[in-house]
Amino acid sequence: MGNGQIYRHVKLAGMGRALAGGEMVFGGETRYRLKDGETLLDLAEDAAGKALEEAGMSMAEVDCIVCAMATPLQAIPCNAALIHERMAKGMDIPAMDINTTCTSFISALDVMSCMIEAGRYRAVLILSGDTASAALNPGQKESCELFSDGAAAGVLVKAEPEENCGILYARQCTWSEGAHDTEIRGGGGLLPVFSMTERNREDYYFDMKGIRILRLCAGKLPGFVETCLREAGIAREEIQAVIPHQASKALDIIMPRLGFREGAYINRVSAYGNMVSASVPFALCEAVGEGRVRRGDLVLLMGTAAGLTVNFMLLRY
Amino acid sequence: MGNGQIYRHVKLAGMGRALAGGEMVFGGETRYRLKDGETLLDLAEDAAGKALEEAGMSMAEVDCIVCAMATPLQAIPCNAALIHERMAKGMDIPAMDINTTCTSFISALDVMSCMIEAGRYRAVLILSGDTASAALNPGQKESCELFSDGAAAGVLVKAEPEENCGILYARQCTWSEGAHDTEIRGGGGLLPVFSMTERNREDYYFDMKGIRILRLCAGKLPGFVETCLREAGIAREEIQAVIPHQASKALDIIMPRLGFREGAYINRVSAYGNMVSASVPFALCEAVGEGRVRRGDLVLLMGTAAGLTVNFMLLRY
């Protein structure tokens, strides 16, 4: 699992977020889905533009464009190349995808902060966002009513010597016992698009086994969180804001078991649902905008993702 | 584009490769395609097992599993989680995907060597490989006869103080003017699986505009290579082996224009065709196995990828 305790003197210089334009309500909870003619590229471009504006930077100052998304926009090329076409055409800026499904944004912060620490890049634009609505199974109510389409972005830069911000700790684990608890079996190399028939159509839909995930998390997450806090040398009380992946309503079951009482963590599931890779950066961006997270605050970003992958990151915002 | 001149004291401790079991010949050139019952997971596991064996390491000594592949095995979760299930089930090792299409292996070396330099990880297993055969258009002879299914893997570790090896230089650029010159338009969020009809079926096939790519490369690649060599302070004559992405037969047109004469670079297109993300690590692994690349040799890994992304990396093997 490596050494998560290395300090990276980086800063999220700006953030932005965007919601799909179609609004709907399921059982009193609001969800957003792409409206006609709208694509995830529109949302991602909107969010990234806001992030650059808040950072006071132009695209020409960005060293690398990273798409930290769970699903492809096209099967080829990578998502970041398509964002590049929208926002950086004619520039030499490298583009790449980093993917750990729902926690891709945290993984990308982990990876790119190391590249910045190593001196490889100075400023990286990280975009998250997914179109869950493209693969929802109308027959699976639990997941079909859970997701929203949205995007969020952040500009990660090398911090100035006098700035009190950075990544204090990061740890990622993958527990592949849960590899098939959240999945879309079809559409890739294992079960190609062209193999879809009326009989196996369900294999191309998003499939979530909520109870199995909950059981795996209940068994393994508490120990994982204890290990992280101990290794980081941080007590829960020192953390100003906990921003978990907005996986589902089960947040209010899981988080107290991890020692975080209601109110200590951000829960926007009823307002936005699960926005896959966008959930964590979207909630962080909103919390910053509302003044709930301020410069210098200690923020915990965490979440579980299909894989099953877990991420835990302590960020001095 | 950042600073590619930072030195990373890392070593490819072991490599492995695997070919699909189905062999076919087009115009005297051999291609390999998955045989019945075989999947890319089988090939990737085989290649990774050999890489670990050559490195004299067990999976338990690996800090991170990275899939550097161009295409997904499933739409969700990421490829590395599925490899994790095969090779590391029950272990906590983190798994993630890094994707720049055909040059994903070079990008992953670039990224993960920085994570090793920063002290985050010590040993990373990087796997490449794709199932091009899943999306070839029988009506597009040029691409349909070009690809093979294969996999390759490498174990990247922190080098010992006395070892004369490492990454001397790395540079990646994306020129999204070519974003649609190599693509599969369908199958992702922009044109979902469920939108496929008899009329738009071609959008779900691999589509390569060979002439356009060649024109873009001819215009921009020579300047890119000159810049890299100048920044790295290395002359072509100092490089023992050039390992380009095995994009197509056009290799013998492009490479001399970049100042690399026939024989100075490895061309195995007639033997294997284009193996997408596996091409570069597969050719490097073969060259090491045949004694063409030895410890201490200066090796240039380079290539163009859908995006259009270009990668250039100088490695003291």
Side-chain angles (χ1 to χ4, degrees), chain A residues 251-252 255-256 260-265 267 292:
Chain A
L251 216 50
D252 287 334
M255 295 304 285
F260 299 104
R261 55 168 182 74
E262 250 188 88
Y265 59 91
N267 182 350
R292 176 151 179 191

Side-chain angles (χ1 to χ4, degrees), chain B residues 106-247:
Chain B
I106 308 177
S107 296
L109 285 180
D110 189 8
V111 168
M112 299 317 291
S113 62
C114 287
M115 291 199 91
I116 291 173
E117 263 316 298
R120 178 75 177 89
Y121 294 125
R122 291 157 310 170
V124 181
L125 174 63
I126 303 173
L127 302 95
S128 291
D130 285 284
T131 321
S133 63
L136 292 177
N137 184 348
Q140 195 175 82
K141 192 174 185 296
E142 182 190 4
S143 62
C144 197
E145 298 186 352
L146 176 59
F147 290 90
S148 282
D149 301 332
V155 183
L156 188 72
V157 301
K158 191 167 173 53
E160 298 298 326
E162 72 279 7
E163 288 178 310
N164 177 30
C165 57
I167 293 171
L168 278 63
Y169 179 85
R171 190 182 174 92
Q172 183 187 324
C173 290
T174 298
W175 300 321
S176 56
E177 304 92 303
H180 301 285
D181 293 349
T182 310
E183 67 177 340
I184 301 175
R185 285 178 290 282
L190 294 181
L191 186 60
V193 174
F194 301 106
S195 304
M196 186 166 72
T197 62
E198 271 316 306
R199 265 189 61 204
N200 71 2
R201 191 178 165 89
E202 289 233 328
D203 284 333
Y204 295 77
Y205 283 129
F206 182 81
D207 182 26
M208 193 174 77
K209 299 180 181 72
I211 299 295
R212 287 177 57 98
I213 302 164
L214 209 59
R215 204 177 295 146
L216 184 58
C217 288
K220 301 197 88 159
L221 264 185
F224 171 76
V225 168
E226 287 308 324
T227 301
C228 291
L229 289 169
R230 192 182 61 243
E231 282 188 357
I234 295 285
R236 287 178 183 77
E237 300 70 47
E238 299 174 66
I239 301 170
Q240 268 86 32
V242 180
I243 301 181
H245 172 50
Q246 310 285 303

Side-chain angles (χ1 to χ4, degrees), chain A residues 58-78:
Chain A
S58 72
M59 186 56 87
E61 295 169 89
V62 169
D63 284 331
C64 186
I65 298 171
V66 173
C67 275
M69 299 171 169
T71 50
L73 287 158
Q74 296 191 174
I76 281 179
C78 68

Side-chain angles (χ1 to χ4, degrees), chain A residues 52-99:
Chain A
L52 286 168
E53 195 185 334
E54 190 180 291
M57 291 170 64
S58 72
M59 186 56 87
E61 295 169 89
V62 169
D63 284 331
C64 186
I65 298 171
V66 173
C67 275
M69 299 171 169
T71 50
L73 287 158
Q74 296 191 174
I76 281 179
C78 68
N79 291 353
L82 297 170
I83 291 290
H84 190 292
E85 189 189 16
R86 281 286 188 103
M87 304 188 73
K89 203 171 175 174
M91 298 179 183
D92 284 348
I93 306 170
M96 73 175 77
D97 288 359
I98 292 178
N99 178 356

